[in-house]
Amino acid sequence: MATLYQLHSTMDNLRRSTDQLALTWRRGDSLLLLGSTVAFIDWLKAYLNENEIVGISAIYALADDISQLGETTAAKLKLETKIDKVMSDVEWVKLTQDSQFDKVVTISL
């Protein structure tokens, strides 16, 4: 069974949040980026590598959170190449109840 980690972090706390994530990470787990966390995707990927977090099944983000970035910022981040799926709130709720996950953990520092 896998874990769905919901990561909600500011840039100031992203490294610490990723360090916490590394403590319980297992190959095949997934990430859902909440709020402004999606804006820091490149830093997140660097911190994931630094913590040797590998085997990510999927990285998800919410459509509403991406829209808050604005079209120009989202385009510059090239999120379509870094996010596996952009979801609505309804899809998010369904994902948290999906049987592929035995637990959902929220990290918000």
Side-chain angles (χ1 to χ4, degrees), residues 85-99:
K85 183 171 183 184
V86 176
M87 303 184 322
S88 68
D89 287 348
V90 170
E91 290 172 310
W92 172 26
V93 171
K94 287 180 182 177
L95 183 67
T96 64
Q97 299 169 354
D98 192 303
S99 63

Side-chain angles (χ1 to χ4, degrees), residues 33-74:
L33 308 180
L34 297 173
S36 63
T37 310
V38 71
F40 315 122
I41 186 77
D42 293 320
W43 284 100
L44 173 65
K45 288 195 173 231
Y47 294 150
L48 293 172
N49 287 333
E50 187 177 281
N51 279 290
E52 298 179 5
I53 295 174
V54 296
I56 299 171
S57 181
I59 298 178
Y60 305 99
L62 298 178
D64 287 345
D65 294 340
I66 291 173
S67 71
Q68 294 297 315
L69 298 175
E71 288 181 32
T72 303
T73 301

